[in-house]
Amino acid sequence: MSKIIPFKAVRPTADKVGLVTCRNYDDYSSAELAAWLSFNPYSFLHVIHPAYVHSQKITLDKRFKGVAHKYQDFKNDGVFVEEEKPVFFVYEIQTKTNSFTGIVAGTSIDDYKNNIIKKHEDTLQYRVELFKDYLYQTGFNTEPVLITYPDNSLINQWIAEKKKNVPLYNYATTNKEKHQLWKIDNEEDIQWLQQQFEQIPELYIADGHHRSASAELLHDEFKAEGNEKLNYFMSFLIAESEIKIYEFNRIIRDLNGFEINDFLAQLEEHFIIKNKEQELWKPQSKFEFGMYLDGNFYALFYKLENNNPSILENLDAQILYDKVLHPLLGIEDLRNDERIEYIPGKQSVLTIKELIDEGEFEVGFMLYPSDISEIKALADNNLIMPPKSTYIEPKFRSGLMVYEL
């Protein structure tokens, strides 16, 4: 039984929404960030990163307070408005290749604690505590957790009907996305949608494990104060068939002392190797891996060695770690080893080729993306994926919706 609630969202006025919303802060290069801050006074980047020029010279405490003050300035200037009563939203994102539609709502901390909202990624405690402090100091969150639910024909039909109405927002962004938002403020609709989710036994976090963990930590520290808003966190709920799962590919700086021929010979213990030479080859199915080394692409076909592998042992990212990255290349800590970096699978294989040809990296590995069934199986068994196993879309725009605490 899953619980969702409407909330009194704070959001940009319709005439400014295209100027206010932005991609995740980390997606911008320094040059892009400086340009947006210089030429767009309405960008939410001014809020989430105030005093950009001096950002390295101030404490986190002062930076978080600066975020809170700048957000209040935006509200005072009429850039943001607050809903008069709690509402849901239907939100659609159209990219160049995909379309995503889901529901923006509050989800329950109790559901998160009781594993009704399930996880498949580990979290870093320092990041959880840092974002918890950010939430506490700023008093708001604008980054919903991406949560997926089993496809439901009734909810699908309901969403399709709501999308026939005139949207609250209908705007495009500079990265060629189209965004539409519909407000759901009718009490009958709100109650009906809540009843539908009450019949869904489990929800799964697709993206946002640190954000949900931070919300739980904040709730636990301040629940005695009786702030009802801390009992929930903002989520973007989307059907399983709507999400797009990409792989994270790996590039490694050296061969850990191996000569190329010796390294290939070592790989043959666990893989059938085919030299694809200059063909830009990517894995076509599970248990296949691509490799770029010394100017050539290779196809690596895993030799299934265990007739009854565990769910985790069956995961391609785990196979690559267990058979190659750890024993051969000496990489133990996938999060912190400086010899490895990650390239989202939506980027071209040419990106990997170029980075290796430039000489900073020596070998790259391409994986086949996981599917939702693998993610759910891991979550159901309280297992954790290796770091950087999935890159999941859609990505929510910062500043589109604010959940005040």
Side-chain angles (χ1 to χ4, degrees):
M1 178 174 170
S2 307
K3 183 176 182 180
I4 64 171
I5 64 160
F7 65 100
K8 291 180 70 174
V10 177
R11 54 181 178 78
T13 57
D15 63 320
K16 298 183 179 69
V17 62
L19 294 170
V20 172
T21 66
C22 60
R23 306 194 308 271
N24 184 285
Y25 165 76
D26 292 331
D27 288 347
Y28 293 89
S29 67
S30 296
E32 284 182 300
L33 186 60
W36 277 107
L37 291 171
S38 295
F39 297 110
N40 181 3
Y42 294 112
S43 174
F44 199 69
L45 290 167
H46 287 284
V47 175
I48 56 180
H49 203 44
Y52 169 70
V53 174
H54 307 290
S55 62
Q56 304 305 318
K57 302 176 184 177
I58 61 176
T59 64
L60 283 174
D61 183 63
K62 286 184 178 179
R63 189 182 302 181
F64 293 163
K65 288 178 179 176
V67 170
H69 290 151
K70 194 65 179 178
Y71 172 62
Q72 193 60 48
D73 287 344
F74 268 47
K75 289 183 69 177
N76 293 341
D77 291 341
V79 177
F80 284 105
V81 293
E82 183 175 359
E83 294 296 339
E84 295 180 357
K85 65 177 186 177
V87 299
F88 290 129
F89 294 94
V90 170
Y91 177 40
E92 181 185 73
I93 305 169
Q94 294 181 22
T95 69
K96 288 177 282 188
T97 54
N98 295 294
S99 179
F100 310 96
T101 305
I103 298 159
V104 185
T107 45
S108 167
I109 290 288
D110 283 342
D111 284 356
Y112 180 82
K113 287 177 173 290
N114 295 327
N115 212 31
I116 292 171
I117 298 176
K118 297 193 171 188
K119 313 94 179 167
H120 69 268
E121 286 186 7
D122 206 355
T123 55
L124 297 174
Q125 189 60 28
Y126 84 90
R127 283 187 59 189
V128 172
E129 292 183 1
L130 180 65
F131 193 64
K132 181 268 297 181
D133 291 340
Y134 173 89
L135 294 174
Y136 177 71
Q137 294 275 14
T138 63
F140 72 86
N141 178 33
T142 186
E143 298 181 28
V145 176
L146 182 64
I147 290 181
T148 186
Y149 59 88
D151 279 68
N152 181 302
S153 60
L154 290 176
I155 295 177
N156 289 345
Q157 292 169 13
W158 180 85
I159 288 175
E161 285 299 315
K162 297 308 167 189
K163 287 170 62 176
K164 293 178 182 178
N165 298 325
V166 177
L168 189 68
Y169 298 150
N170 184 358
Y171 71 101
T173 59
T174 53
N175 60 340
K176 299 183 179 179
E177 292 179 351
K178 181 181 178 182
H179 299 259
Q180 296 186 87
L181 187 78
W182 294 264
K183 181 166 66 174
I184 310 300
D185 56 1
N186 180 283
E187 286 300 325
E188 290 183 3
D189 281 327
I190 289 172
Q191 291 177 17
W192 182 88
L193 192 59
Q194 288 179 307
Q195 289 168 2
Q196 297 306 307
F197 273 88
E198 285 173 0
Q199 298 173 44
I200 298 175
E202 297 157 334
L203 302 174
Y204 293 83
I205 295 177
D207 191 22
H209 288 78
H210 284 90
R211 296 192 290 276
S212 52
S214 297
E216 179 191 28
L217 188 58
L218 185 68
H219 166 270
D220 291 348
E221 286 194 17
F222 297 100
K223 60 184 176 182
E225 295 182 2
N227 183 353
E228 182 72 14
K229 293 179 180 179
L230 296 183
N231 295 335
Y232 302 90
F233 55 90
M234 183 170 62
S235 293
F236 184 30
L237 298 132
I238 190 166
E240 290 174 3
S241 63
E242 286 271 322
I243 66 169
K244 177 67 176 175
I245 304 174
Y246 297 91
E247 73 281 9
F248 262 110
N249 297 313
R250 283 93 163 102
I251 50 176
I252 293 90
R253 297 184 190 279
D254 59 69
L255 293 181
N256 197 32
F258 281 105
E259 296 293 331
I260 291 173
N261 288 336
D262 292 338
F263 181 66
L264 291 170
Q266 291 290 326
L267 289 176
E268 286 181 334
E269 180 181 352
H270 301 293
F271 301 91
I272 297 170
I273 304 175
K274 292 186 178 180
N275 190 342
K276 296 290 185 176
E277 298 180 346
Q278 300 306 304
E279 179 185 348
L280 298 175
W281 194 85
K282 289 184 67 174
Q284 307 301 304
S285 63
K286 189 171 172 56
F287 302 127
E288 296 179 7
F289 301 83
M291 182 175 71
Y292 183 68
L293 173 66
D294 193 34
N296 288 310
F297 284 91
Y298 295 85
L300 309 181
F301 302 94
Y302 181 55
K303 301 174 183 177
L304 294 174
E305 302 161 347
N306 185 344
N307 292 327
N308 190 28
S310 69
I311 298 167
L312 190 58
E313 290 171 334
N314 218 27
L315 197 68
D316 282 4
Q318 189 68 40
I319 291 169
L320 185 66
Y321 177 76
D322 289 341
K323 306 302 182 184
V324 182
L325 300 182
H326 186 202
L328 300 183
L329 297 179
I331 294 172
E332 295 186 19
D333 188 344
L334 290 171
R335 288 189 186 276
N336 299 310
D337 196 314
E338 294 182 352
R339 295 171 55 229
I340 185 170
E341 290 192 13
Y342 302 89
I343 307 295
K346 64 180 299 183
Q347 292 190 27
S348 170
V349 176
L350 280 172
T351 302
I352 294 173
K353 180 181 186 302
E354 289 167 359
L355 287 168
I356 293 172
D357 288 347
E358 288 170 0
E360 185 177 352
F361 297 89
E362 193 156 354
V363 62
F365 295 97
M366 289 72 78
L367 287 78
Y368 189 74
S370 295
D371 60 32
I372 190 63
S373 63
E374 287 184 313
I375 289 175
K376 291 175 66 175
L378 288 163
D380 288 341
N381 288 274
N382 297 313
L383 296 171
I384 300 299
M385 275 187 159
K388 297 292 187 181
S389 291
T390 57
Y391 179 89
I392 297 179
E393 288 187 337
K395 300 297 184 186
F396 206 87
R397 298 282 290 183
S398 289
L400 178 69
M401 201 76 59
V402 180
Y403 183 90
E404 290 191 344
L405 302 172

